[in-house]
Amino acid sequence: MIIGIGIDLVECGRFLDWSAFKKQRIFTKKELEYADTDNANSERHLANFWAAREAFLKALGTGFGDDIAFSDVSVTHNDAGCPELVIAGGARAVLKERAGGADARVYVSLTDQGDYSAAMVVIEAK
């Protein structure tokens, strides 16, 4: 059963002027390393990761705050290179609550074109 759908669109250029400190506050070490491996498109990767977080929170029906930290939602890639969300901490607790205590699957799709990145997230209760 689908329990949430979220989408987000973000301008890639907004990440060009972010300080290293701000990036380290928002993104995980793995995300920053992934973005740095493609230096010419680093801001595009960061925009994808940001959009994925925002789309997940919209699907969850909440936002960042006291219960959910930036580090609770992050993007990784499987062996085939497909993006996957890692949900931890307060975000995991809210996800479990929204799924009625059952396990939930989270699907994410990322895309970018020109100056924009977008993400879509679907949450399914098992």
Side-chain angles (χ1 to χ4, degrees):
M1 174 174 78
I2 303 297
I3 59 173
I5 298 172
I7 188 168
D8 193 62
L9 177 70
V10 64
E11 191 171 5
C12 299
R14 76 185 265 196
F15 299 95
L16 285 172
D17 297 328
W18 278 24
S19 68
F21 174 77
K22 187 171 184 178
K23 289 177 186 176
Q24 290 169 354
R25 240 187 81 224
I26 306 294
F27 301 105
T28 66
K29 184 178 178 182
K30 283 181 110 174
E31 287 172 321
L32 292 172
E33 287 172 354
Y34 185 91
D36 286 344
T37 61
D38 185 8
N39 198 34
N41 293 303
S42 179
E43 74 280 353
R44 190 174 307 274
H45 294 298
L46 296 178
N48 281 336
F49 300 155
W50 180 263
R53 283 173 167 76
E54 289 288 328
F56 172 76
L57 294 174
K58 290 173 182 177
L60 199 58
T62 185
F64 292 114
D66 293 336
D67 295 332
I68 299 177
F70 291 121
S71 60
D72 287 351
V73 183
S74 62
V75 178
T76 188
H77 294 82
N78 67 20
D79 292 338
C82 296
E84 296 178 339
L85 289 181
V86 177
I87 313 300
R92 178 163 281 299
V94 174
L95 178 61
K96 189 166 185 141
E97 177 186 317
R98 295 287 197 288
D103 285 335
R105 290 197 52 159
V106 178
Y107 304 93
V108 61
S109 180
L110 304 175
T111 190
D112 52 72
Q113 179 68 44
D115 295 335
Y116 295 94
S117 287
M120 181 172 178
V121 171
V122 175
I123 301 173
E124 175 187 34
K126 290 185 179 180

